[in-house]
Amino acid sequence: MTTRTMPGSSEIRLGLRANLAQFTLLVVINALVGGMLGQERTVLPLLADDVFHLSAYTSALTYIAAFGATKAVTNFFAGTWSDRFGRKPVLIAGWLIALPVPAMLAWAPPGAGSSPPTSCSASTRA
């Protein structure tokens, strides 16, 4: 294990063995993000075409715009809250909020959010 001590700071530990927990967390997060992006690249164009009748270009542009706007707003608030409460509590709160989302998507009723309810459609009105 290689260590360095910089003036005014604590000891810095270098190497994978010394930082195995952080390295493992980084690998897991990158795998999950990569998997999510892979699903987005395969599922979104099909969903956009079948359900919303959008071209692949329009669906990709819509996804990028929505993701960018959401990330910008979220980063603004996360930065403000990190200054007030610290980074770790804000990260943990974000993870806890996001934790049930995959289960909500996996067990959502078929067609949830893809079409208006039948009570609102023109065919059911008298």
Side-chain angles (χ1 to χ4, degrees), residues 43-95:
V43 173
L44 187 65
L46 298 173
L47 182 69
D49 185 42
D50 291 346
V51 176
F52 300 107
H53 309 293
L54 296 173
S55 68
Y57 174 78
T58 305
S59 67
L61 184 62
T62 303
Y63 174 80
I64 291 168
F67 180 83
T70 303
K71 185 155 177 57
V73 171
T74 304
N75 283 351
F76 174 76
F77 286 109
T80 303
W81 294 335
S82 290
D83 290 342
R84 183 176 298 164
F85 304 112
R87 290 176 58 193
K88 188 173 183 177
V90 173
L91 282 171
I92 291 173
W95 290 339

Side-chain angles (χ1 to χ4, degrees), residues 118 120-126:
T118 56
C120 295
S121 67
S123 63
T124 59
R125 293 184 188 164

